Amino acid sequence: MQLGRYPAAHTTIAHLSDTHLLAGGAPLGGAADTVAALDRAVNQLDRLGTALDAIVVTGDIADLGEPDAYRLARAALEPLAERAGAELVWVMGNHDEREPFAAELLDLPPSLEPLHRVVELGGVRLVSFDVSVPGWHHGAVDEERADWLSAVLAEPAPKGTVLAVHHAPIPTPIALMDVLELQGQARLAEVLRGSDVRLILGGHLHYPSAGSFAGIPVSIAGATAYTLDVSAPPRELQGVDGGRSFSLVQLFNDGHLVSVAPLGPNTVISRFDEGFLDELSALDPLARLERFSRKRAE
Protein backbone atom coordinates (compact mmCIF):
# COMPACT_ATOMS: atom_id res chain seq x y z
CA MET A 1 0.00 0.00 0.00
CA GLN A 2 1.40 3.39 -0.99
CA LEU A 3 -0.31 6.50 0.39
CA GLY A 4 2.60 8.90 -0.19
CA ARG A 5 5.70 9.25 -2.33
CA TYR A 6 7.56 6.24 -0.92
CA PRO A 7 6.76 2.65 -1.91
CA ALA A 8 6.68 -0.21 0.57
CA ALA A 9 10.03 -1.64 1.62
CA HIS A 10 11.16 -4.76 -0.21
CA THR A 11 12.86 -6.20 2.90
CA THR A 12 12.09 -5.78 6.60
CA ILE A 13 14.45 -6.92 9.35
CA ALA A 14 13.80 -7.01 13.09
CA HIS A 15 17.09 -6.07 14.74
CA LEU A 16 17.52 -7.12 18.38
CA SER A 17 20.66 -7.17 20.46
CA ASP A 18 22.23 -7.91 23.82
CA THR A 19 19.65 -10.15 25.45
CA HIS A 20 22.21 -11.33 28.08
CA LEU A 21 20.22 -14.38 29.15
CA LEU A 22 21.31 -16.57 32.07
CA ALA A 23 20.70 -20.28 32.63
CA GLY A 24 17.33 -21.03 34.16
CA GLY A 25 16.16 -17.51 33.40
CA ALA A 26 18.00 -16.10 36.43
CA PRO A 27 17.78 -12.29 36.74
CA LEU A 28 20.81 -10.45 35.41
CA GLY A 29 22.71 -8.82 38.25
CA GLY A 30 20.00 -10.16 40.52
CA ALA A 31 17.67 -7.44 39.20
CA ALA A 32 16.91 -7.45 35.44
CA ASP A 33 14.41 -10.01 34.16
CA THR A 34 15.97 -10.56 30.75
CA VAL A 35 13.65 -13.44 29.86
CA ALA A 36 10.54 -11.30 30.41
CA ALA A 37 12.10 -8.47 28.41
CA LEU A 38 12.77 -10.77 25.45
CA ASP A 39 9.24 -12.14 25.70
CA ARG A 40 7.88 -8.59 25.50
CA ALA A 41 9.92 -7.98 22.35
CA VAL A 42 8.55 -11.20 20.84
CA ASN A 43 4.98 -10.17 21.65
CA GLN A 44 5.47 -6.81 19.98
CA LEU A 45 7.06 -8.32 16.87
CA ASP A 46 4.28 -10.89 16.65
CA ARG A 47 1.91 -8.02 15.81
CA LEU A 48 3.74 -7.58 12.50
CA GLY A 49 2.60 -11.01 11.31
CA THR A 50 4.39 -12.05 8.14
CA ALA A 51 5.87 -8.61 7.41
CA LEU A 52 9.31 -9.68 8.67
CA ASP A 53 11.88 -11.19 6.32
CA ALA A 54 14.54 -11.73 8.98
CA ILE A 55 15.16 -11.48 12.70
CA VAL A 56 18.77 -10.57 13.46
CA VAL A 57 20.22 -10.73 16.98
CA THR A 58 23.59 -8.97 17.07
CA GLY A 59 25.30 -10.77 19.90
CA ASP A 60 25.62 -11.13 23.65
CA ILE A 61 22.70 -13.51 23.49
CA ALA A 62 23.96 -15.24 26.65
CA ASP A 63 25.63 -13.35 29.46
CA LEU A 64 27.93 -16.20 30.51
CA GLY A 65 27.80 -18.44 27.45
CA GLU A 66 25.71 -21.09 29.21
CA PRO A 67 24.05 -23.70 26.96
CA ASP A 68 20.69 -23.29 28.71
CA ALA A 69 20.75 -19.54 28.06
CA TYR A 70 21.01 -20.23 24.33
CA ARG A 71 18.16 -22.70 24.58
CA LEU A 72 16.03 -20.00 26.19
CA ALA A 73 16.83 -17.56 23.38
CA ARG A 74 16.03 -20.13 20.72
CA ALA A 75 12.77 -21.14 22.43
CA ALA A 76 11.66 -17.49 22.45
CA LEU A 77 12.65 -16.43 18.93
CA GLU A 78 12.48 -19.54 16.75
CA PRO A 79 8.66 -19.88 16.97
CA LEU A 80 8.34 -16.17 16.14
CA ALA A 81 10.53 -16.64 13.06
CA GLU A 82 8.48 -19.65 12.00
CA ARG A 83 5.18 -17.77 12.39
CA ALA A 84 6.54 -14.83 10.42
CA GLY A 85 8.22 -16.97 7.77
CA ALA A 86 11.44 -15.09 8.57
CA GLU A 87 15.09 -16.10 8.69
CA LEU A 88 16.54 -16.15 12.22
CA VAL A 89 20.15 -14.96 12.23
CA TRP A 90 22.40 -15.10 15.29
CA VAL A 91 25.61 -13.07 15.61
CA MET A 92 28.41 -13.84 18.07
CA GLY A 93 29.09 -11.28 20.81
CA ASN A 94 31.83 -10.87 23.38
CA HIS A 95 29.75 -12.46 26.17
CA ASP A 96 28.97 -15.45 23.96
CA GLU A 97 31.04 -18.64 23.85
CA ARG A 98 31.61 -20.25 20.46
CA GLU A 99 31.18 -23.92 21.34
CA PRO A 100 27.74 -23.74 23.01
CA PHE A 101 26.68 -21.02 20.54
CA ALA A 102 27.45 -23.35 17.62
CA ALA A 103 25.78 -26.35 19.22
CA GLU A 104 22.64 -24.74 20.66
CA LEU A 105 21.82 -22.02 18.10
CA LEU A 106 23.30 -23.25 14.82
CA ASP A 107 23.01 -27.05 15.24
CA LEU A 108 26.70 -27.34 14.39
CA PRO A 109 29.43 -29.37 16.07
CA PRO A 110 31.04 -27.37 18.89
CA SER A 111 33.75 -25.21 17.36
CA LEU A 112 36.28 -22.62 18.40
CA GLU A 113 36.47 -21.21 14.86
CA PRO A 114 34.74 -17.91 13.97
CA LEU A 115 31.03 -18.48 13.37
CA HIS A 116 30.22 -16.56 10.22
CA ARG A 117 27.04 -17.09 8.20
CA VAL A 118 25.62 -15.81 4.91
CA VAL A 119 21.84 -15.68 4.36
CA GLU A 120 19.97 -14.68 1.19
CA LEU A 121 16.80 -12.60 1.58
CA GLY A 122 15.15 -12.18 -1.79
CA GLY A 123 18.22 -10.63 -3.37
CA VAL A 124 19.61 -9.03 -0.20
CA ARG A 125 22.72 -10.75 1.17
CA LEU A 126 22.82 -10.74 4.99
CA VAL A 127 26.22 -11.53 6.47
CA SER A 128 26.65 -12.51 10.13
CA PHE A 129 30.30 -11.63 10.82
CA ASP A 130 31.97 -13.02 13.95
CA VAL A 131 34.54 -10.58 15.36
CA SER A 132 34.61 -12.06 18.87
CA VAL A 133 37.96 -12.78 20.53
CA PRO A 134 37.80 -15.87 22.79
CA GLY A 135 38.63 -14.97 26.38
CA TRP A 136 38.32 -11.22 25.78
CA HIS A 137 35.58 -8.60 25.58
CA HIS A 138 36.96 -6.47 22.75
CA GLY A 139 36.41 -7.41 19.11
CA ALA A 140 38.91 -7.80 16.28
CA VAL A 141 39.10 -8.12 12.52
CA ASP A 142 42.29 -10.05 11.79
CA GLU A 143 43.71 -10.89 8.38
CA GLU A 144 41.95 -14.27 8.20
CA ARG A 145 38.53 -12.80 8.90
CA ALA A 146 39.13 -9.90 6.54
CA ASP A 147 40.04 -12.37 3.77
CA TRP A 148 36.86 -14.37 4.44
CA LEU A 149 34.67 -11.27 4.22
CA SER A 150 36.48 -10.04 1.11
CA ALA A 151 35.79 -13.36 -0.62
CA VAL A 152 32.09 -13.18 0.30
CA LEU A 153 31.78 -9.62 -1.04
CA ALA A 154 33.75 -10.28 -4.23
CA GLU A 155 30.52 -10.79 -6.19
CA PRO A 156 27.80 -8.15 -5.56
CA ALA A 157 24.35 -9.32 -4.45
CA PRO A 158 21.32 -8.30 -6.57
CA LYS A 159 19.99 -5.94 -3.87
CA GLY A 160 23.19 -5.34 -1.92
CA THR A 161 24.59 -6.63 1.36
CA VAL A 162 23.76 -5.97 5.00
CA LEU A 163 26.63 -6.72 7.39
CA ALA A 164 25.66 -7.76 10.93
CA VAL A 165 28.40 -7.56 13.56
CA HIS A 166 28.39 -7.26 17.35
CA HIS A 167 31.12 -4.67 17.96
CA ALA A 168 29.96 -1.46 16.32
CA PRO A 169 32.65 0.31 14.26
CA ILE A 170 31.56 3.80 15.35
CA PRO A 171 32.54 6.13 18.23
CA THR A 172 30.72 6.20 21.57
CA PRO A 173 30.34 9.00 24.15
CA ILE A 174 30.97 6.43 26.90
CA ALA A 175 34.75 6.52 27.37
CA LEU A 176 35.13 3.10 29.00
CA MET A 177 33.47 1.37 26.05
CA ASP A 178 36.39 2.52 23.87
CA VAL A 179 38.56 -0.09 25.62
CA LEU A 180 36.19 -2.78 24.34
CA GLU A 181 36.00 -1.44 20.79
CA LEU A 182 36.52 -3.30 17.53
CA GLN A 183 40.22 -3.59 16.69
CA GLY A 184 41.40 -3.86 13.11
CA GLN A 185 38.97 -1.25 11.84
CA ALA A 186 41.37 0.00 9.18
CA ARG A 187 41.55 -3.54 7.80
CA LEU A 188 37.75 -3.80 7.81
CA ALA A 189 37.38 -0.43 6.10
CA GLU A 190 39.72 -1.56 3.34
CA VAL A 191 37.50 -4.59 2.68
CA LEU A 192 34.25 -2.61 2.74
CA ARG A 193 35.19 0.37 0.57
CA GLY A 194 33.87 -0.17 -2.92
CA SER A 195 31.80 -3.19 -1.88
CA ASP A 196 28.03 -3.57 -2.13
CA VAL A 197 27.54 -3.31 1.67
CA ARG A 198 24.73 -0.80 2.06
CA LEU A 199 24.19 -0.98 5.84
CA ILE A 200 26.03 -2.25 8.93
CA LEU A 201 23.98 -3.53 11.89
CA GLY A 202 25.64 -3.68 15.31
CA GLY A 203 25.08 -4.08 19.03
CA HIS A 204 27.43 -4.03 22.03
CA LEU A 205 26.71 -0.44 23.07
CA HIS A 206 23.37 -1.10 24.84
CA TYR A 207 21.67 2.01 23.44
CA PRO A 208 20.33 2.80 19.97
CA SER A 209 22.77 4.83 17.91
CA ALA A 210 23.70 5.60 14.33
CA GLY A 211 26.77 6.73 12.45
CA SER A 212 28.86 5.77 9.45
CA PHE A 213 31.95 3.70 8.75
CA ALA A 214 33.96 3.63 5.54
CA GLY A 215 31.16 5.66 3.97
CA ILE A 216 28.50 3.10 4.97
CA PRO A 217 25.61 3.85 7.36
CA VAL A 218 25.79 2.05 10.72
CA SER A 219 22.75 1.30 12.89
CA ILE A 220 23.12 0.08 16.47
CA ALA A 221 20.18 -1.61 18.18
CA GLY A 222 19.40 -0.92 21.80
CA ALA A 223 19.63 -3.83 24.23
CA THR A 224 16.70 -5.80 25.59
CA ALA A 225 18.63 -6.67 28.79
CA TYR A 226 19.43 -3.16 30.07
CA THR A 227 20.48 0.23 28.72
CA LEU A 228 23.74 2.15 29.06
CA ASP A 229 22.96 5.74 29.99
CA VAL A 230 24.66 8.15 27.57
CA SER A 231 23.63 11.05 29.84
CA ALA A 232 25.69 9.70 32.75
CA PRO A 233 28.75 11.74 33.83
CA PRO A 234 31.41 11.57 31.07
CA ARG A 235 33.82 9.42 33.08
CA GLU A 236 31.24 6.90 34.30
CA LEU A 237 29.54 3.85 32.81
CA GLN A 238 26.01 3.26 34.10
CA GLY A 239 23.65 0.47 33.15
CA VAL A 240 20.02 1.31 33.89
CA ASP A 241 16.84 -0.73 34.21
CA GLY A 242 14.90 1.06 31.49
CA GLY A 243 15.02 2.40 27.95
CA ARG A 244 15.03 -1.07 26.39
CA SER A 245 14.33 -1.24 22.66
CA PHE A 246 14.81 -3.03 19.37
CA SER A 247 14.86 -1.71 15.80
CA LEU A 248 12.99 -2.29 12.58
CA VAL A 249 15.18 -2.03 9.48
CA GLN A 250 13.43 -1.51 6.16
CA LEU A 251 15.26 -1.66 2.85
CA PHE A 252 14.15 0.12 -0.33
CA ASN A 253 15.60 0.02 -3.82
CA ASP A 254 17.37 3.33 -3.25
CA GLY A 255 17.74 3.60 0.51
CA HIS A 256 16.84 2.32 3.95
CA LEU A 257 14.97 3.28 7.10
CA VAL A 258 15.74 2.35 10.72
CA SER A 259 13.01 2.85 13.34
CA VAL A 260 13.54 2.32 17.07
CA ALA A 261 10.73 0.51 18.90
CA PRO A 262 10.58 1.06 22.70
CA LEU A 263 9.99 -2.11 24.62
CA GLY A 264 6.54 -2.12 26.24
CA PRO A 265 4.06 -2.40 27.62
CA ASN A 266 3.38 1.29 27.10
CA THR A 267 0.18 3.24 27.65
CA VAL A 268 -1.65 3.98 24.39
CA ILE A 269 -2.62 7.67 24.21
CA SER A 270 -3.82 7.82 20.59
CA ARG A 271 -4.72 5.29 17.94
CA PHE A 272 -5.99 5.12 14.36
CA ASP A 273 -6.96 1.55 13.58
CA GLU A 274 -6.93 -0.63 10.47
CA GLY A 275 -10.44 0.48 9.55
CA PHE A 276 -9.32 4.10 9.27
CA LEU A 277 -6.39 3.07 7.05
CA ASP A 278 -8.80 1.14 4.82
CA GLU A 279 -11.00 4.25 4.64
CA LEU A 280 -8.07 6.41 3.50
CA SER A 281 -6.94 3.77 1.01
CA ALA A 282 -10.28 3.97 -0.77
CA LEU A 283 -9.94 7.74 -1.30
CA ASP A 284 -8.03 9.63 -3.98
CA PRO A 285 -5.00 11.70 -2.83
CA LEU A 286 -6.91 14.99 -2.53
CA ALA A 287 -9.72 13.36 -0.56
CA ARG A 288 -7.16 11.78 1.77
CA LEU A 289 -5.70 15.19 2.53
CA GLU A 290 -9.17 16.57 3.19
CA ARG A 291 -9.99 13.66 5.50
CA PHE A 292 -6.74 13.45 7.47
CA SER A 293 -4.67 16.59 6.91
CA ARG A 294 -7.13 19.48 7.14
CA LYS A 295 -7.23 21.12 10.57
CA ARG A 296 -10.69 21.11 12.09
CA ALA A 297 -12.16 23.72 14.40
CA GLU A 298 -12.43 22.31 17.92
Side-chain angles (χ1 to χ4, degrees):
M1 183 182 302
Q2 184 173 347
L3 299 181
R5 64 171 293 175
Y6 295 103
H10 61 65
T11 304
T12 300
I13 299 169
H15 180 196
L16 295 84
S17 199
D18 295 270
T19 55
H20 285 271
L21 299 169
L22 290 168
L28 186 65
D33 189 342
T34 55
V35 173
L38 180 56
D39 285 344
R40 293 200 299 272
V42 168
N43 289 337
Q44 288 177 234
L45 287 168
D46 240 341
R47 299 180 301 183
L48 296 175
T50 58
L52 295 177
D53 297 290
I55 300 166
V56 178
V57 191
T58 48
D60 283 2
I61 292 143
D63 190 63
L64 299 175
E66 301 160 303
D68 185 60
Y70 294 119
R71 289 192 285 269
L72 288 171
R74 188 169 183 173
L77 288 170
E78 198 167 70
L80 171 67
E82 290 174 355
R83 291 190 295 271
E87 289 280 351
L88 180 54
V89 180
W90 308 98
V91 182
M92 273 284 298
N94 53 285
H95 278 262
D96 294 310
E97 297 291 340
R98 286 179 180 170
E99 290 184 288
F101 187 105
E104 300 296 341
L105 295 181
L106 305 179
D107 294 326
L108 295 174
S111 173
L112 291 176
E113 295 300 311
L115 296 169
H116 309 307
R117 185 184 175 197
V118 180
V119 176
E120 195 276 331
L121 302 173
V124 174
R125 178 169 52 202
L126 178 58
V127 180
S128 170
F129 190 44
D130 181 1
V131 298
S132 64
V133 181
W136 301 83
H137 281 300
H138 67 276
V141 178
D142 54 23
E143 186 174 350
E144 181 180 351
R145 280 180 270 204
D147 288 346
W148 178 89
L149 184 58
S150 181
V152 168
L153 300 177
E155 185 72 27
K159 295 182 180 179
T161 296
V162 174
L163 181 67
V165 61
H166 179 66
H167 291 76
I170 58 173
T172 170
I174 302 175
L176 282 171
M177 291 300 288
D178 285 341
V179 179
L180 309 182
E181 68 184 359
L182 178 64
Q183 298 184 5
Q185 290 192 28
R187 183 180 288 117
L188 177 61
E190 185 177 345
V191 172
L192 295 182
R193 286 194 181 97
S195 75
D196 73 336
V197 175
R198 54 186 297 182
L199 180 63
I200 300 171
L201 303 180
H204 188 52
L205 297 180
H206 281 247
Y207 58 87
S209 187
S212 64
F213 177 77
I216 301 168
V218 179
S219 176
I220 310 304
T224 63
Y226 65 91
T227 301
L228 288 184
D229 186 358
V230 296
S231 68
R235 297 177 63 82
E236 294 184 15
L237 187 153
Q238 292 184 4
V240 297
D241 186 10
R244 296 174 178 86
S245 65
F246 59 87
S247 297
L248 284 179
V249 179
Q250 295 175 296
L251 304 179
F252 303 85
N253 288 334
D254 58 355
H256 71 273
L257 178 69
V258 178
S259 305
V260 176
L263 207 59
N266 298 299
T267 301
V268 177
I269 60 172
S270 67
R271 182 171 179 261
F272 293 92
D273 62 14
E274 184 178 356
F276 185 71
L277 181 60
D278 289 341
E279 179 187 339
L280 288 185
S281 301
L283 301 175
D284 62 54
L286 288 178
R288 285 180 200 141
L289 286 175
E290 179 66 32
R291 178 71 179 89
F292 195 49
S293 177
R294 183 180 292 282
K295 295 181 181 180
R296 311 290 179 183
E298 294 295 336

